[in-house]
PDB file of all heavy atoms in Angstrom:
ATOM      1  N   TYR H  71     -14.594 -14.261 -10.788  1.00 98.00           N
ATOM      2  CA  TYR H  71     -13.694 -14.168 -11.935  1.00 98.00           C
ATOM      3  C   TYR H  71     -12.923 -15.453 -12.229  1.00 98.00           C
ATOM      4  O   TYR H  71     -12.294 -15.563 -13.278  1.00 98.00           O
ATOM      5  CB  TYR H  71     -12.701 -13.018 -11.720  1.00 98.00           C
ATOM      6  CG  TYR H  71     -13.383 -11.689 -11.501  1.00 98.00           C
ATOM      7  CD1 TYR H  71     -13.414 -11.106 -10.235  1.00 98.00           C
ATOM      8  CD2 TYR H  71     -14.010 -11.026 -12.550  1.00 98.00           C
ATOM      9  CE1 TYR H  71     -14.042  -9.884 -10.020  1.00 98.00           C
ATOM     10  CE2 TYR H  71     -14.645  -9.810 -12.345  1.00 98.00           C
ATOM     11  CZ  TYR H  71     -14.659  -9.250 -11.077  1.00 98.00           C
ATOM     12  OH  TYR H  71     -15.289  -8.043 -10.864  1.00 98.00           O
ATOM     13  N   GLY H  72     -12.920 -16.401 -11.300  1.00 97.00           N
ATOM     14  CA  GLY H  72     -12.303 -17.684 -11.573  1.00 97.00           C
ATOM     15  C   GLY H  72     -10.806 -17.769 -11.364  1.00 97.00           C
ATOM     16  O   GLY H  72     -10.237 -18.854 -11.446  1.00 97.00           O
ATOM     17  N   ARG H  73     -10.153 -16.647 -11.094  1.00 97.00           N
ATOM     18  CA  ARG H  73      -8.712 -16.661 -10.908  1.00 97.00           C
ATOM     19  C   ARG H  73      -8.278 -15.387 -10.192  1.00 97.00           C
ATOM     20  O   ARG H  73      -9.067 -14.447 -10.042  1.00 97.00           O
ATOM     21  CB  ARG H  73      -7.962 -16.778 -12.236  1.00 97.00           C
ATOM     22  CG  ARG H  73      -8.220 -15.637 -13.206  1.00 97.00           C
ATOM     23  CD  ARG H  73      -7.471 -15.837 -14.513  1.00 97.00           C
ATOM     24  NE  ARG H  73      -6.024 -15.815 -14.325  1.00 97.00           N
ATOM     25  CZ  ARG H  73      -5.198 -16.784 -14.730  1.00 97.00           C
ATOM     26  NH1 ARG H  73      -5.692 -17.869 -15.312  1.00 97.00           N
ATOM     27  NH2 ARG H  73      -3.895 -16.690 -14.540  1.00 97.00           N
ATOM     28  N   LEU H  74      -7.021 -15.380  -9.768  1.00 98.00           N
ATOM     29  CA  LEU H  74      -6.457 -14.209  -9.117  1.00 98.00           C
ATOM     30  C   LEU H  74      -5.006 -14.077  -9.556  1.00 98.00           C
ATOM     31  O   LEU H  74      -4.209 -14.993  -9.354  1.00 98.00           O
ATOM     32  CB  LEU H  74      -6.544 -14.341  -7.590  1.00 98.00           C
ATOM     33  CG  LEU H  74      -5.890 -13.235  -6.752  1.00 98.00           C
ATOM     34  CD1 LEU H  74      -6.468 -11.880  -7.094  1.00 98.00           C
ATOM     35  CD2 LEU H  74      -6.057 -13.534  -5.269  1.00 98.00           C
ATOM     36  N   ASP H  75      -4.676 -12.942 -10.162  1.00 98.00           N
ATOM     37  CA  ASP H  75      -3.333 -12.721 -10.689  1.00 98.00           C
ATOM     38  C   ASP H  75      -2.555 -11.654  -9.932  1.00 98.00           C
ATOM     39  O   ASP H  75      -1.322 -11.724  -9.841  1.00 98.00           O
ATOM     40  CB  ASP H  75      -3.413 -12.308 -12.162  1.00 98.00           C
ATOM     41  CG  ASP H  75      -4.172 -13.315 -12.993  1.00 98.00           C
ATOM     42  OD1 ASP H  75      -3.627 -14.407 -13.221  1.00 98.00           O
ATOM     43  OD2 ASP H  75      -5.312 -13.019 -13.399  1.00 98.00           O
ATOM     44  N   ILE H  76      -3.268 -10.663  -9.399  1.00 98.00           N
ATOM     45  CA  ILE H  76      -2.620  -9.509  -8.772  1.00 98.00           C
ATOM     46  C   ILE H  76      -3.316  -9.207  -7.452  1.00 98.00           C
ATOM     47  O   ILE H  76      -4.549  -9.163  -7.390  1.00 98.00           O
ATOM     48  CB  ILE H  76      -2.691  -8.270  -9.682  1.00 98.00           C
ATOM     49  CG1 ILE H  76      -2.007  -8.527 -11.027  1.00 98.00           C
ATOM     50  CG2 ILE H  76      -2.081  -7.046  -8.992  1.00 98.00           C
ATOM     51  CD1 ILE H  76      -2.397  -7.523 -12.105  1.00 98.00           C
ATOM     52  N   LEU H  77      -2.521  -8.982  -6.421  1.00 98.00           N
ATOM     53  CA  LEU H  77      -3.042  -8.500  -5.143  1.00 98.00           C
ATOM     54  C   LEU H  77      -2.293  -7.237  -4.785  1.00 98.00           C
ATOM     55  O   LEU H  77      -1.075  -7.259  -4.605  1.00 98.00           O
ATOM     56  CB  LEU H  77      -2.847  -9.548  -4.038  1.00 98.00           C
ATOM     57  CG  LEU H  77      -3.174  -9.089  -2.610  1.00 98.00           C
ATOM     58  CD1 LEU H  77      -4.651  -8.727  -2.472  1.00 98.00           C
ATOM     59  CD2 LEU H  77      -2.777 -10.157  -1.597  1.00 98.00           C
ATOM     60  N   ASN H  78      -3.015  -6.134  -4.717  1.00 98.00           N
ATOM     61  CA  ASN H  78      -2.426  -4.854  -4.294  1.00 98.00           C
ATOM     62  C   ASN H  78      -2.946  -4.536  -2.898  1.00 98.00           C
ATOM     63  O   ASN H  78      -4.065  -4.075  -2.728  1.00 98.00           O
ATOM     64  CB  ASN H  78      -2.800  -3.756  -5.287  1.00 98.00           C
ATOM     65  CG  ASN H  78      -2.314  -2.379  -4.862  1.00 98.00           C
ATOM     66  OD1 ASN H  78      -2.924  -1.365  -5.217  1.00 98.00           O
ATOM     67  ND2 ASN H  78      -1.226  -2.296  -4.125  1.00 98.00           N
ATOM     68  N   ASN H  79      -2.120  -4.810  -1.894  1.00 98.00           N
ATOM     69  CA  ASN H  79      -2.460  -4.493  -0.517  1.00 98.00           C
ATOM     70  C   ASN H  79      -2.216  -3.008  -0.284  1.00 98.00           C
ATOM     71  O   ASN H  79      -1.070  -2.560  -0.215  1.00 98.00           O
ATOM     72  CB  ASN H  79      -1.615  -5.329   0.450  1.00 98.00           C
ATOM     73  CG  ASN H  79      -2.109  -6.749   0.565  1.00 98.00           C
ATOM     74  OD1 ASN H  79      -3.292  -6.995   0.767  1.00 98.00           O
ATOM     75  ND2 ASN H  79      -1.203  -7.714   0.432  1.00 98.00           N
ATOM     76  N   ASN H  80      -3.306  -2.276  -0.140  1.00 97.00           N
ATOM     77  CA  ASN H  80      -3.228  -0.826  -0.121  1.00 97.00           C
ATOM     78  C   ASN H  80      -3.925  -0.205   1.093  1.00 97.00           C
ATOM     79  O   ASN H  80      -3.797   0.985   1.350  1.00 97.00           O
ATOM     80  CB  ASN H  80      -3.861  -0.283  -1.419  1.00 97.00           C
ATOM     81  CG  ASN H  80      -3.645   1.191  -1.608  1.00 97.00           C
ATOM     82  OD1 ASN H  80      -2.556   1.640  -1.922  1.00 97.00           O
ATOM     83  ND2 ASN H  80      -4.695   1.969  -1.404  1.00 97.00           N
ATOM     84  N   VAL H  81      -4.675  -1.013   1.845  1.00 96.00           N
ATOM     85  CA  VAL H  81      -5.415  -0.488   2.986  1.00 96.00           C
ATOM     86  C   VAL H  81      -4.428  -0.029   4.062  1.00 96.00           C
ATOM     87  O   VAL H  81      -3.341  -0.588   4.206  1.00 96.00           O
ATOM     88  CB  VAL H  81      -6.376  -1.561   3.536  1.00 96.00           C
ATOM     89  CG1 VAL H  81      -5.619  -2.728   4.122  1.00 96.00           C
ATOM     90  CG2 VAL H  81      -7.344  -0.974   4.534  1.00 96.00           C
ATOM     91  N   ALA H  82      -4.800   1.029   4.818  1.00 94.00           N
ATOM     92  CA  ALA H  82      -3.895   1.563   5.837  1.00 94.00           C
ATOM     93  C   ALA H  82      -4.663   2.143   7.006  1.00 94.00           C
ATOM     94  O   ALA H  82      -5.793   2.613   6.856  1.00 94.00           O
ATOM     95  CB  ALA H  82      -2.981   2.630   5.231  1.00 94.00           C
ATOM     96  N   HIS H  83      -4.017   2.099   8.159  1.00 93.00           N
ATOM     97  CA  HIS H  83      -4.574   2.680   9.384  1.00 93.00           C
ATOM     98  C   HIS H  83      -3.514   3.584   9.991  1.00 93.00           C
ATOM     99  O   HIS H  83      -2.387   3.153  10.241  1.00 93.00           O
ATOM    100  CB  HIS H  83      -4.947   1.577  10.365  1.00 93.00           C
ATOM    101  CG  HIS H  83      -5.497   2.083  11.667  1.00 93.00           C
ATOM    102  ND1 HIS H  83      -6.791   2.563  11.778  1.00 93.00           N
ATOM    103  CD2 HIS H  83      -4.947   2.189  12.900  1.00 93.00           C
ATOM    104  CE1 HIS H  83      -7.006   2.936  13.034  1.00 93.00           C
ATOM    105  NE2 HIS H  83      -5.899   2.728  13.730  1.00 93.00           N
ATOM    106  N   THR H  84      -3.860   4.847  10.209  1.00 86.00           N
ATOM    107  CA  THR H  84      -2.885   5.813  10.716  1.00 86.00           C
ATOM    108  C   THR H  84      -3.065   6.156  12.184  1.00 86.00           C
ATOM    109  O   THR H  84      -2.297   6.931  12.731  1.00 86.00           O
ATOM    110  CB  THR H  84      -2.950   7.116   9.899  1.00 86.00           C
ATOM    111  OG1 THR H  84      -4.289   7.638   9.970  1.00 86.00           O
ATOM    112  CG2 THR H  84      -2.578   6.869   8.447  1.00 86.00           C
ATOM    113  N   GLY H  85      -4.062   5.618  12.843  1.00 76.00           N
ATOM    114  CA  GLY H  85      -4.205   5.816  14.270  1.00 76.00           C
ATOM    115  C   GLY H  85      -5.015   7.023  14.697  1.00 76.00           C
ATOM    116  O   GLY H  85      -5.366   7.152  15.863  1.00 76.00           O
TER     117      GLY H  85
END
Side-chain angles (χ1 to χ4, degrees):
Y71 302 107
R73 61 181 296 126
L74 175 58
D75 304 288
I76 301 163
L77 172 63
N78 176 208
N79 283 311
N80 189 73
V81 66
H83 179 76
T84 58

